[in-house]
Amino acid sequence: MEVSGGLLACHIVCHLMSTTVDPAEESLRLNNTYRTPRPTFDRTQHDHVIVELYCSLCGVTVSGHARHCRACNKCVAGFDHHCPWLNNCIGSRNYWWFFSTVASAAAWLLWMVAILVLIVGEYHKNPAVLRTDPHYESTCCLFLLPSPRGHPVS
């Protein structure tokens, strides 16, 4: 139970960090007009937003690895992609947190599958042992199953 709680806590921290760390270009973050609305990218008016390391929408000079995200409408340092599940761009400033989020979710999922396989295996081997195990109640709560207390063991 402690391992699953630790993995879940790690995932929650990584998820919060990947969504709250602002991946915007440093020159854009230092600009005073960062939080004001900017014009949106329109392909009919512009072929490219960033020309010669200058973003015409953000009005700042950017690094060579920056790209303008259409979903967030801002220049992102080391732009990788816009993640719809996190509702945030993934760039060089939050890429490690994003990777940690994915890895911790996968680790937690594998841990839950391992616990479930052990419980199902024990159930098929000897179901009475499960009901007498001291971790039985917490395991039922873990999988949100109703407690079978009071039911006869067959």
Side-chain angles (χ1 to χ4, degrees), residues 14-110:
C14 292
H15 180 84
L16 288 174
M17 289 302 294
S18 65
T19 56
T20 57
V21 170
D22 187 7
E25 181 71 24
E26 184 178 6
S27 58
L28 183 61
R29 284 183 283 119
L30 296 175
N31 193 349
N32 290 337
T33 60
Y34 174 57
R35 303 271 180 212
T36 60
R38 291 178 301 282
T40 56
F41 178 64
D42 185 9
R43 284 208 183 269
T44 60
Q45 294 178 355
H46 309 286
D47 288 335
H48 300 285
V49 176
I50 300 175
V51 178
E52 296 179 9
L53 299 181
Y54 181 79
C55 178
S56 58
L57 293 179
C58 297
V60 295
T61 302
V62 295
S63 66
H65 297 288
R67 300 288 179 263
H68 191 88
C69 177
R70 283 185 252 156
C72 293
N73 198 27
K74 63 183 172 186
C75 287
V76 177
F79 182 78
D80 187 61
H81 69 284
H82 181 85
C83 182
W85 292 282
L86 298 177
N87 193 28
N88 198 13
C89 287
I90 307 303
S92 58
R93 293 193 70 225
N94 64 348
Y95 188 80
W96 188 87
W97 290 111
F98 170 74
F99 180 77
S100 298
T101 300
V102 173
S104 62
W108 189 69
L109 178 67
L110 288 174

